[in-house]
Amino acid sequence: MSFFGVDCVRKKERELERKLRANDREYNLSFQYATNAIKTNKYNFFTFLPLNLFEQFQRIANAYFLFLLVLQVIPQISSLSWFTTVVPLVLVLTVTAAKDATDDINRHRSDNQVNNRKAEVLIDRKLRSEKWMDVQVGDIIKLENNQFVTADLLLLSSSEPLNLVYIETAELDGETNLKVRQALPVTGDLGEDIEKLADFNGEVRCEPPNNRLDRFTGTLTFAGQKYPLDNEKILLRGCTLRNTDWCFGLVLFGGPETKLMQNCGKSTFKRTSVDRLMNILVLCIFGFLAFMCTILAIGNLFWEMNEGSQFTVFLPRQNDNNAAFSAFLTFWSYVIILNTVVPISLYVSVEIIRLGNSFYIDWDRKMYYGRKDTPAEARTTTLNEELGQIKYIFSDKTGTLTQNIMVFNKCSINGKTYGDVYDYTGQRLEITEGTERVDFSFNPLADPRFMFHDHALVEAVKLENPEVHAFFRLLALCHTVMAEEKREGEIYYQAQSPDEGALVTAARNFGFVFRSRTPDSVSIVEMGQQCSYELLAILDFNNVRKRMSVIVRSPEGKLSLYCKGADTIIYERLDQSCSKLMEVTTEHLNEFAGDGLRTLALAYKDLDEEYFNQWKQRHHEVSTALDDREEKLDELYEEIEKDLLLLGATAIEDKLQDGVPQTIEQLSKADIKIWVLTGDKQETAENIGYSCNLLREEMNEVFTVSGNSPEDVKEELRNAQTTMKSVVEEDSVFLPQGTLGNGPKVISDELVNGEYGLVINGHSLAYALEHSLEQEFLKTACMCKAVICCRVTPLQKAQVVELVKKYKKVVTLAIGDGANDVSMIKAAHIGVGISGQEGMQAVLSSDYSFAQFRFLQRLLLVHGRWSYLRMCKFLRYFFYKNFTFTFVHFWYAFFCGFSAQTVYDEWFITLYNLMYTALPVLGMSLFDQDVNDMWSFQHPQLYVPGQLNLYFSKKTFFKCVLHSCYSSLVLFFIPYAAMHDTMRGDGKDIADYQSFALLTQTCLLFAVTIQLGLEMSYWTAVNTFFVLGSLGMYFAVTFTMYSNGMFLMLPPAFPFIGTAQNSLSQPNVWLTILLTSILCVLPVVTYRFLFIQLCPTINEKVMFKVRQAKATPPPPPRRTRIRRTSSRRSGYAFSHAQGYGDLVTSGRFLRRPAVSRSSGFTNIGRTTTGFSPMGRSAGYSPTGRPQNTKAPDVEVTSLQMYRTFRDPAL
């Protein structure tokens, strides 16, 4: 290792296969595997100064000022003191270095916090507490419940039966539901016996470090046997151990080689598009500066040869230098004098403006989330104006758009819907926090967190409606949830998906409580009665079947099959007698889907004992077959899952964060395209897309790309393009890349006939991101209004962002809340982290952070737009005032013999950018706003000019230069003509150099100050004070420095004795100042007047509207919820992968034998004493039809034949 922490000997060879041996550090060290320490910092104590200075001098302007400083210490060419450059340069370098040091110290602290966590490591046959950073590959470590996984581990043994562990992978993939991992039986026998574990010397051969979270291949060799290893036996760093007392694991990968760190992506230095444009402009300015200096040097050459030679008699040249050498020195002297075209104060001011606008974000109370005491935070100060130019937003779904909380919202049972609340007129009420909740106090085992508002459903349960009971009985039995009851009545469910957990919890609250299971039974409490159902078979869910079923025997001996799944799949398998009920339920499903809810259809059938025994025998034979087992099982399942009787449907809400639909709608109006990149399955992502207004029913079409080969994907993309645009010209979509011409082609936006959406699966996306298809994919996606990518890996998220950055000249923003979003956040121009359910990984890697997605609209439409507007105004004005200042020197050179004499007093040159014009422009750049935040929200189109770079561009810069050129001509020649051969009122001469310098600089200051006033849209007391105060400061300093006292103290430094009093007391001087100011401003005012009248911008239109309002605008109208009727279906509420049916029936999951428990219910029978029917139970509906009546013409199901009472409402 070198002194700077860089390996100077040789780069480590690429690892092709990992080999390691348990408990053998010496053997494992020979391979030089990475330790478990992580390092995200850039500097250390020794490398900070050289590396930071090296980085800073890569900025062209800093290198230029260093070069100027070298010139200024050469006496022959220096016409300004060296301190005028060195002081601001050191100030800029110091401030930037301090900021970089602070950021890196924070990174050091974060690294140290993680690296110094403690882990129990088996060393020398003892468990020792070691720091994470000291853990090495091949070590055996012990983890306990709720601990983070230290490194990527091979699970050896655990406290649970059959060596299962439960892990939460939220930090990796954003999913908060628990997942199961199981150790090999041969290592599971080691248990927690330290001696056995210390003697374990198994050898592992596995894949090298990579970023695939869903795949692992390797083998374990132990005691002469070889065992296969897969992803189900691996615990990844970033996971959390849950509901498992302890487990032991063997370290396979550590630190930077873990899959978590491999997915983090590289930290890149982010710079704004304004910064990049500034670098180009600075290069152009340097060229222009050299051009001006060359002209003046040539002028000096001719002047020396023609005029200067006449002075050599009484003013001989030093060291007999000739005219050519004089011209050479003059060139460098003018480089120093004219350097104010790019003053270093520009960069100081830019940093101050960015810092100030960052504080506005930190201090914004409207972006503060009180529930979690989380304010918004600008974690970087260098990207604020980029927030006003965003064109593409890449968002995670789980935890970013949604709360990752599934809520049982509505249901349809036997043709009747439950879940809505109606008033006495039959109008549906909006459910809010104040809406009365159903009281579940009759059920001691109810989950207190569960909320439901329609009292009719609990009334139907209490009245023992058989269809309602069968509905909830199905929910309590047909699932693979595991229950944990540590204390009597406190039940915790571990579900493979939040959907299943929500359904089982709903059944629990309505009186059908799932309590425990064994491999062959399910124990539930039905309305206070303990029941045990014999579990005969689980027909498990997968992505093809899209349903799951259980076959159970009731305590009475009745055989039943209960099935739940996607409605389209269930409907195909229903008995013909359900046709009328299907029609009614379909209407309800359409209504649920229109509300963006996730739906499931529920059905059942009673089985004949003899038939089932035959089926079971065939099932056993197929289960043990070696060939085509899956296909034969599917055929068997199809055979028994037919002629089902429909019970109803469930509607689950994947709760969106507050304000997500409105935010997406606002951002869409601002012409921002939103792509959702999620690890969820397609149906889930589509549901959220519809519920949050990303996908809309009004869209012409939503394309689904799900090809399983590059050819299929290409064909689907081409078909989508053809639909969107009938004529697709191959070459018309490419434009040559911008400035230097060496980059890739740029895909331009195409006009399409309508609005479209695109949904693409993970495996199809993998093909679409290949080099041969990436442009085709991007072209199709960019033609769509919204894009959803499903089942994507963290790396694919970053690849999608990089693809858009590569081929589109746009600014991108990525927003997420989990470790799986880190690579995407780092890849985008702007990374936003949401501090939510899934830890702080995303926040730590982000540029901005806050607690709720809805704050994004304020960050962009208010803070981002204002920051961009202010920065552009600042740059336009700054270049104007400094070019004007500098060009006056250029014109003066033609009247002073090209002698590099300054037209202004040296003190004015020093203080011009430091004191006289600094505060007014900073005031404008910190406080200016065209319209307030409310108007910004009401007119999101105000955001569009930023995306198009309309406020500051090369064209705008060129206009500034022309404007400055005109102003400098007026500012030089009007005072020159006014002073030429002029006398004072008392006959004394006023046309001396010092009087002319004073008049010119006073005219300049008035002209640029008036120009600032024209630029400013929003005057505050602070702005006014800065403008008037700076003018007052100019006169105070001028009269002080030109006084007798200052001259007597230091005559060489203050030669302009009495000039101010002599000149500024003359009326013609003030008339000249007035005339130059009017002539400078007149073309600007004329141009703006004509422009506003003939072709006003969106800003000017809105500002005119604001002036007309003359008061605070009324609050925006309350947005009514639009109900959609939809033929599409919300997704079925199952997990993202194949279910756990095999695991449940095998008995491998069991923690401990089920114990008999009391039901915990009070026997309520059918009594409804004290129960007041409300909502729909009161007999009101939107149609005027009593709600408790059965839907007309619905055929009687077999369950209705068991009714023992008559509903009073009938």
Side-chain angles (χ1 to χ4, degrees):
M1 295 294 284
S2 74
F3 178 72
F4 293 108
V6 181
D7 191 355
C8 296
V9 184
R10 62 180 176 85
K11 196 172 180 179
K12 185 179 174 183
E13 293 180 7
R14 189 180 177 194
E15 190 176 342
L16 299 176
E17 183 185 49
R18 172 143 301 200
K19 304 174 187 175
L20 61 102
R21 187 181 298 154
N23 292 314
D24 193 341
R25 281 194 170 188
E26 187 177 345
Y27 172 80
N28 298 325
L29 284 171
S30 65
F31 295 103
Q32 297 183 336
Y33 296 140
T35 65
N36 201 41
I38 60 167
K39 175 179 174 291
T40 59
N41 55 288
K42 291 165 63 177
Y43 315 106
N44 60 38
F45 181 78
F46 300 104
T47 62
F48 174 73
L49 198 58
L51 282 180
N52 189 261
L53 287 176
F54 175 74
E55 286 178 359
Q56 291 204 57
F57 281 115
Q58 284 183 319
R59 181 182 270 179
I60 296 169
N62 286 346
Y64 166 66
F65 292 124
L66 185 64
F67 172 68
L68 272 184
L69 182 59
V70 174
L71 290 182
Q72 283 185 302
V73 297
I74 303 173
Q76 287 83 356
I77 60 174
S78 178
S79 51
L80 288 172
S81 304
W82 61 271
F83 60 81
T84 57
T85 298
V86 75
V87 172
L89 178 61
V90 169
L91 180 66
V92 168
L93 295 177
T94 305
V95 169
T96 308
K99 185 165 66 70
D100 291 344
T102 304
D103 291 345
D104 209 57
I105 287 169
N106 289 334
R107 283 191 287 266
H108 270 285
R109 285 176 180 162
S110 175
D111 290 348
N112 289 336
Q113 183 183 357
V114 174
N115 289 333
N116 289 317
R117 286 176 180 165
K118 296 291 186 178
E120 289 191 79
V121 186
L122 185 59
I123 300 176
D124 297 332
R125 311 184 80 82
K126 291 181 181 177
L127 278 176
R128 295 183 181 177
S129 181
E130 295 281 333
K131 294 178 179 177
W132 276 27
M133 59 192 280
D134 297 328
V135 173
Q136 296 182 16
V137 171
D139 286 350
I140 292 178
I141 64 175
K142 180 182 181 182
L143 296 176
E144 294 183 346
N145 194 28
N146 296 327
Q147 283 187 347
F148 286 110
V149 177
T150 311
D152 287 358
L153 309 177
L154 168 64
L155 179 61
L156 296 179
S157 62
S158 86
S159 58
E160 303 305 296
L162 293 158
N163 303 298
L164 291 178
V165 297
Y166 303 92
I167 56 170
E168 185 182 279
T169 59
E171 286 283 353
L172 287 172
D173 56 18
E175 297 175 14
T176 51
N177 48 292
L178 298 190
K179 295 180 175 59
V180 178
R181 296 289 183 265
Q182 185 177 26
L184 288 166
V186 66
T187 60
D189 294 340
L190 301 173
E192 58 178 333
D193 189 325
I194 300 301
E195 291 299 320
K196 286 183 180 179
L197 288 164
D199 290 334
F200 178 68
N201 62 350
E203 291 191 16
V204 174
R205 284 175 175 253
C206 65
E207 62 189 24
N210 61 74
N211 53 34
R212 290 294 300 269
L213 295 172
D214 57 346
R215 190 180 70 186
F216 179 85
T217 54
T219 58
L220 169 68
T221 305
F222 178 57
Q225 296 289 322
K226 187 179 281 189
Y227 305 91
L229 303 178
D230 57 24
N231 209 44
E232 298 304 308
K233 298 170 182 62
I234 304 300
L235 306 182
L236 299 181
R237 179 174 179 147
C239 299
T240 308
L241 195 67
R242 299 290 191 204
N243 301 329
T244 307
D245 293 335
W246 54 261
C247 74
F248 284 88
L250 173 66
V251 178
L252 302 179
F253 303 108
E257 294 177 342
T258 58
K259 291 184 185 281
L260 173 69
M261 298 303 292
Q262 292 276 311
N263 269 293
C264 278
K266 292 181 180 178
S267 292
T268 54
F269 177 64
K270 294 184 178 181
R271 297 169 61 202
T272 66
S273 54
V274 170
D275 270 340
R276 291 189 289 273
L277 177 59
M278 282 279 294
N279 262 0
I280 296 166
L281 293 180
V282 166
L283 283 173
C284 296
I285 290 169
F286 290 161
F288 185 57
L289 176 63
F291 173 70
M292 286 195 298
C293 293
T294 302
I295 290 176
L296 298 178
I298 293 171
N300 178 267
L301 176 67
F302 283 105
W303 191 89
E304 286 288 344
M305 288 192 298
N306 297 325
E307 304 289 335
S309 57
Q310 299 175 18
F311 292 90
T312 55
V313 177
F314 58 89
L315 191 63
R317 294 192 176 100
Q318 292 183 352
N319 302 324
D320 296 326
N321 293 333
N322 58 20
F325 187 72
S326 173
F328 174 75
L329 294 179
T330 300
F331 175 86
W332 295 112
S333 296
Y334 272 113
V335 167
I336 294 171
I337 286 176
L338 302 180
N339 81 80
T340 46
V341 284
V342 188
I344 199 162
S345 59
L346 170 67
Y347 291 95
V348 179
S349 302
V350 164
E351 293 301 323
I352 292 172
I353 292 164
R354 286 173 171 166
L355 184 66
N357 285 315
S358 298
F359 281 134
Y360 290 152
I361 295 171
D362 294 343
W363 296 338
D364 192 342
R365 291 186 179 182
K366 293 181 180 177
M367 292 172 68
Y368 169 76
Y369 190 53
R371 202 173 296 173
K372 291 188 177 179
D373 190 27
T374 307
E377 182 183 4
R379 297 175 56 81
T380 180
T381 60
T382 58
L383 302 172
N384 295 329
E385 65 269 17
E386 198 93 309
L387 291 169
Q389 297 182 276
I390 303 298
K391 181 67 177 177
Y392 283 84
I393 291 176
F394 301 93
S395 175
D396 177 40
K397 181 193 76 69
T398 307
T400 303
L401 299 177
T402 68
Q403 300 179 34
N404 204 23
I405 300 172
M406 304 296 173
V407 176
F408 181 82
N409 193 294
K410 297 177 184 178
C411 62
S412 169
I413 305 176
N414 197 32
K416 177 182 171 185
T417 61
Y418 298 92
D420 288 324
V421 177
Y422 295 84
D423 63 12
Y424 64 93
T425 64
Q427 294 295 314
R428 192 172 81 164
L429 298 176
E430 183 181 352
I431 293 176
T432 63
E433 289 186 5
T435 306
E436 185 180 358
R437 293 162 56 176
V438 171
D439 181 12
F440 290 106
S441 59
F442 73 91
N443 179 359
L445 296 177
D447 186 339
R449 294 167 298 179
F450 180 82
M451 288 193 297
F452 202 73
H453 301 278
D454 186 359
H455 294 264
L457 185 54
V458 75
E459 181 185 3
V461 170
K462 288 181 177 181
L463 293 175
E464 297 185 6
N465 184 316
E467 291 86 9
V468 174
H469 277 210
F471 180 88
F472 286 115
R473 185 178 297 113
L474 186 152
L475 293 182
L477 293 171
C478 185
H479 56 79
T480 56
V481 173
M482 295 172 237
E484 180 182 15
E485 189 168 358
K486 292 184 177 178
R487 284 188 290 181
E488 178 74 20
E490 289 187 14
I491 305 173
Y492 299 93
Y493 293 140
Q494 303 299 342
Q496 68 179 114
S497 77
D499 308 65
E500 280 216 308
L503 293 174
V504 176
T505 301
R508 167 185 175 180
N509 274 62
F510 284 101
F512 289 77
V513 186
F514 165 63
R515 290 194 85 162
S516 65
R517 71 181 335 133
T518 68
D520 53 10
S521 70
V522 177
S523 295
I524 65 173
V525 176
E526 292 187 7
M527 301 304 292
Q529 300 298 318
Q530 186 83 34
C531 302
S532 181
Y533 285 79
E534 186 181 355
L535 181 62
L536 301 171
I538 291 182
L539 284 55
D540 207 3
F541 164 84
N542 63 38
N543 281 320
V544 178
R545 284 171 41 76
K546 298 185 179 180
R547 65 190 184 278
M548 78 163 288
S549 302
V550 294
I551 300 173
V552 295
R553 191 191 307 274
S554 70
E556 294 80 24
K558 183 177 167 185
L559 271 178
S560 300
L561 179 146
Y562 292 110
C563 181
K564 68 180 181 184
D567 51 277
T568 51
I569 302 294
I570 299 293
Y571 276 15
E572 294 169 1
R573 291 158 177 78
L574 291 180
D575 190 78
Q576 290 182 354
S577 63
C578 299
S579 57
K580 296 287 186 181
L581 182 57
M582 271 175 58
E583 291 176 13
V584 179
T585 306
T586 301
E587 288 181 16
H588 298 160
L589 284 166
N590 286 338
E591 181 183 328
F592 298 157
D595 288 338
L597 303 176
R598 304 164 65 151
T599 57
L600 277 176
L602 310 185
Y604 79 103
K605 69 182 287 190
D606 294 329
L607 297 175
D608 177 68
E609 189 80 38
E610 184 180 346
Y611 166 74
F612 175 71
N613 289 332
Q614 293 175 0
W615 183 89
K616 190 174 182 181
Q617 178 62 33
R618 284 183 290 146
H619 180 266
H620 178 72
E621 292 170 3
V622 170
S623 299
T624 54
L626 296 177
D627 299 325
D628 303 325
R629 182 189 302 173
E630 296 295 329
E631 291 79 3
K632 292 176 181 176
L633 277 175
D634 281 343
E635 289 175 12
L636 265 182
Y637 292 169
E638 286 285 346
E639 178 190 318
I640 200 168
E641 290 174 324
K642 64 182 181 182
D643 299 328
L644 303 175
L645 297 175
L646 183 62
L647 270 175
T650 62
I652 286 180
E653 181 183 6
D654 185 358
K655 285 188 78 70
L656 291 172
Q657 289 190 11
D658 295 338
V660 166
Q662 294 84 349
T663 299
I664 288 177
E665 188 177 336
Q666 282 284 84
L667 296 176
S668 296
K669 287 179 181 176
D671 201 27
I672 297 173
K673 294 190 175 182
I674 301 173
W675 293 19
V676 173
L677 312 178
T678 176
D680 276 358
K681 66 181 189 294
Q682 181 180 324
E683 289 80 4
T684 307
E686 278 190 53
N687 292 335
I688 297 302
Y690 278 99
S691 59
C692 69
N693 281 349
L694 190 64
L695 301 176
R696 297 191 303 278
E697 293 297 333
E698 298 79 34
M699 284 183 167
N700 298 56
E701 190 172 343
V702 177
F703 303 106
T704 301
V705 178
S706 55
N708 290 309
S709 69
E711 295 74 23
D712 293 345
V713 172
K714 185 172 185 177
E715 184 182 351
E716 289 177 354
L717 292 173
R718 283 288 174 93
N719 291 340
Q721 288 177 27
T722 306
T723 305
M724 287 187 280
K725 191 174 183 182
S726 54
V727 180
V728 180
E729 300 174 15
E730 287 295 325
D731 299 326
S732 66
V733 295
F734 296 113
L735 296 174
Q737 171 77 11
T739 323
L740 303 177
N742 297 324
K745 291 180 179 178
V746 174
I747 298 181
S748 64
D749 287 328
E750 285 197 46
L751 295 174
V752 294
N753 52 355
E755 284 191 359
Y756 298 88
L758 177 70
V759 179
I760 183 166
N761 261 324
H763 54 269
S764 302
L765 183 63
Y767 296 123
L769 291 174
E770 290 177 358
H771 184 70
S772 58
L773 277 179
E774 61 180 14
Q775 292 183 6
E776 203 73 42
F777 164 63
L778 184 62
K779 179 178 157 189
T780 309
C782 290
M783 293 167 76
C784 297
K785 188 76 174 173
V787 178
I788 297 178
C789 301
C790 319
R791 299 315 241 137
V792 294
T793 65
L795 189 65
Q796 282 179 324
K797 290 185 178 185
Q799 287 173 335
V800 171
V801 176
E802 293 288 0
L803 181 64
V804 174
K805 285 173 65 179
K806 181 179 177 183
Y807 290 109
K808 304 285 288 180
K809 292 179 67 176
V810 293
V811 181
T812 60
L813 178 145
I815 180 169
D817 69 326
N820 57 322
D821 304 314
V822 167
S823 54
M824 171 177 75
I825 284 170
K826 287 183 175 179
H829 293 103
I830 302 280
V832 177
I834 289 187
S835 48
Q837 304 276 342
E838 302 171 19
M840 296 293 288
Q841 285 281 345
V843 170
L844 293 174
S845 302
S846 66
D847 305 305
Y848 300 89
S849 68
F850 41 71
Q852 293 278 288
F853 182 84
R854 70 176 185 271
F855 297 148
L856 184 62
Q857 64 174 324
R858 187 167 182 84
L859 183 71
L860 300 188
L861 302 185
V862 178
H863 292 289
R865 198 179 68 81
W866 282 350
S867 294
Y868 175 67
L869 183 67
R870 290 164 180 166
M871 183 59 73
C872 292
K873 278 191 174 185
F874 165 78
L875 292 173
R876 289 200 307 260
Y877 175 74
F878 207 94
F879 280 124
Y880 165 75
K881 76 182 181 70
N882 280 286
F883 268 98
T884 305
F885 176 90
T886 307
F887 281 159
V888 174
H889 276 301
F890 183 77
W891 309 128
Y892 182 63
F894 290 89
F895 294 84
C896 69
F898 306 96
S899 60
Q901 183 184 7
T902 57
V903 69
Y904 313 115
D905 170 25
E906 191 171 296
W907 281 106
F908 180 79
I909 295 172
T910 305
L911 297 175
Y912 177 70
N913 282 310
L914 192 65
M915 185 179 292
Y916 301 149
T917 60
L919 287 179
V921 71
L922 280 178
M924 178 184 72
S925 308
L926 290 173
F927 302 113
D928 198 43
Q929 49 182 260
D930 50 354
V931 295
N932 64 23
D933 53 349
M934 285 188 66
W935 285 97
S936 296
F937 284 136
Q938 287 187 16
H939 297 276
Q941 303 86 354
L942 286 168
Y943 192 81
V944 175
Q947 298 170 334
L948 303 175
N949 287 312
L950 296 185
Y951 294 150
F952 189 73
S953 60
K954 293 172 192 170
K955 181 180 176 183
T956 313
F957 173 74
F958 184 65
K959 286 182 180 176
C960 284
V961 175
L962 288 179
H963 183 199
S964 299
C965 189
Y966 165 78
S967 296
S968 65
L969 284 167
V970 172
L971 288 168
F972 178 76
F973 285 103
I974 296 295
Y976 179 81
M979 297 288 283
H980 191 64
D981 294 335
T982 306
M983 291 287 187
R984 281 168 44 129
D986 56 5
K988 292 181 181 178
D989 188 16
I990 197 176
D992 59 281
Y993 160 71
Q994 291 187 349
S995 299
F996 173 70
L998 176 66
L999 177 58
T1000 307
Q1001 63 198 35
T1002 307
C1003 289
L1004 170 71
L1005 198 62
F1006 270 93
V1008 297
T1009 303
I1010 293 170
Q1011 180 65 36
L1012 178 79
L1014 291 175
E1015 290 285 341
M1016 203 128 53
S1017 306
Y1018 184 66
W1019 284 85
T1020 65
V1022 177
N1023 291 50
T1024 309
F1025 174 74
F1026 281 172
V1027 171
L1028 299 179
S1030 293
L1031 282 174
M1033 180 67 71
Y1034 165 71
F1035 287 109
V1037 171
T1038 300
F1039 276 99
T1040 302
M1041 288 191 172
Y1042 294 180
S1043 66
N1044 298 344
M1046 298 301 288
F1047 175 77
L1048 292 173
M1049 286 172 58
L1050 203 59
F1054 303 101
F1056 280 54
I1057 179 173
T1059 307
Q1061 190 173 356
N1062 181 46
S1063 298
L1064 296 177
S1065 60
Q1066 301 302 309
N1068 60 336
V1069 169
W1070 287 103
L1071 189 62
T1072 305
I1073 293 170
L1074 178 64
L1075 181 62
T1076 52
S1077 300
I1078 291 172
L1079 286 175
C1080 283
V1081 169
L1082 191 61
V1084 179
V1085 174
T1086 306
Y1087 172 78
R1088 290 192 182 180
F1089 173 78
L1090 293 174
F1091 200 83
I1092 290 172
Q1093 294 302 316
L1094 299 176
C1095 49
T1097 63
I1098 178 69
N1099 299 63
E1100 287 154 352
K1101 290 177 182 176
V1102 175
M1103 288 168 71
F1104 178 72
K1105 197 172 179 181
V1106 172
R1107 284 194 293 271
Q1108 281 189 319
K1110 289 186 179 179
T1112 306
R1118 189 171 182 179
R1119 188 175 176 273
T1120 56
R1121 188 170 183 179
I1122 301 171
R1123 293 180 55 80
R1124 296 189 297 270
T1125 56
S1126 168
S1127 58
R1128 59 171 287 279
R1129 284 289 174 272
S1130 297
Y1132 40 92
F1134 284 114
S1135 68
H1136 303 161
Q1138 187 159 333
Y1140 292 159
D1142 292 340
L1143 185 64
V1144 168
T1145 53
S1146 70
R1148 291 180 294 162
F1149 69 93
L1150 292 177
R1151 299 170 166 283
R1152 53 190 66 86
V1155 294
S1156 60
R1157 302 178 179 89
S1158 64
S1159 67
F1161 270 82
T1162 53
N1163 189 11
I1164 59 169
R1166 297 180 192 168
T1167 179
T1168 55
T1169 307
F1171 182 85
S1172 174
M1174 294 185 65
R1176 188 178 283 109
S1177 61
Y1180 293 104
S1181 77
T1183 60
R1185 176 170 57 84
Q1187 286 298 300
N1188 282 341
T1189 59
K1190 181 168 61 67
D1193 300 324
V1194 176
E1195 294 185 16
V1196 176
T1197 66
S1198 61
L1199 269 174
Q1200 286 178 289
M1201 298 176 183
Y1202 293 99
R1203 292 178 69 115
T1204 56
F1205 67 96
R1206 195 164 187 80
D1207 196 317
L1210 292 176

